[in-house]
Amino acid sequence: MIFCFQFRCKLAAFISQEVSFRGESSENYGQNSASPVLTYLMSVPPSSIDVEFRALCLNEEDEEGLELLGFVLISLTNNLKSGRHFEVLQAYLHRFLSIYAEYIMRTPELSEKLVELKAVHALYAEKFRHIVQSNLCVLKILSQLPTI
């Protein structure tokens, strides 16, 4: 399976690399291996991320672009499953959905992938909230200790 998304934007090339290496239905990434898409996104400034996201799909008739959106949803889902970089993934997900929510909701295949992403996100958001709450409790206890 070879994908020819490289000329659309750099992000498309990384998506192509990830899909061809791991397959569309890949599971969790290993503890020591990072997704090529996530590694790339973390290496560029926020304004470039916005430009990259916007270059993925031009309109609802852009079949290749809609396919790329599906691969991004899969990549975000798999990266969330890894349990790492939740805050960064949350920001990317917010930006991605603010641009493409309408396209995704009008496309049944993408809507299905979004439902899976939502379920995974809810699970890991709860874990993240628990970690934050635990840290807040520790800070509260430590702040009440007398100073020496």
Side-chain angles (χ1 to χ4, degrees), residues 29-54:
Y29 296 104
Q31 291 292 357
N32 297 323
S33 65
S35 155
V37 172
L38 182 60
T39 302
Y40 173 68
L41 289 173
M42 290 174 65
S43 72
V44 297
S47 59
S48 296
I49 292 170
D50 190 64
V51 170
E52 293 282 340
F53 277 159
R54 289 182 184 279

Side-chain angles (χ1 to χ4, degrees), residues 38-39 41-43 49 53 76 80 84-95 128:
L38 182 60
T39 302
L41 289 173
M42 290 174 65
S43 72
I49 292 170
F53 277 159
L76 289 170
L80 280 170
R84 299 181 306 166
H85 308 292
F86 181 81
E87 307 90 340
V88 173
L89 290 165
Q90 178 79 12
Y92 297 153
L93 178 59
H94 177 266
R95 189 68 204 137
F128 184 73

Side-chain angles (χ1 to χ4, degrees), residues 59-115:
N59 55 44
E60 289 183 70
E61 287 79 37
D62 181 5
E63 290 181 20
E64 183 179 282
L66 292 173
E67 187 176 11
L68 280 168
L69 297 184
F71 291 145
V72 171
L73 290 171
I74 291 168
S75 179
L76 289 170
T77 301
N78 290 336
N79 279 295
L80 280 170
K81 287 178 182 178
S82 77
R84 299 181 306 166
H85 308 292
F86 181 81
E87 307 90 340
V88 173
L89 290 165
Q90 178 79 12
Y92 297 153
L93 178 59
H94 177 266
R95 189 68 204 137
F96 180 76
L97 290 177
S98 67
I99 297 169
Y100 293 116
E102 289 182 36
Y103 294 176
I104 292 170
M105 296 311 295
R106 290 185 194 145
T107 309
E109 298 84 25
L110 296 178
S111 294
E112 291 173 11
K113 291 175 183 174
L114 185 61
V115 168

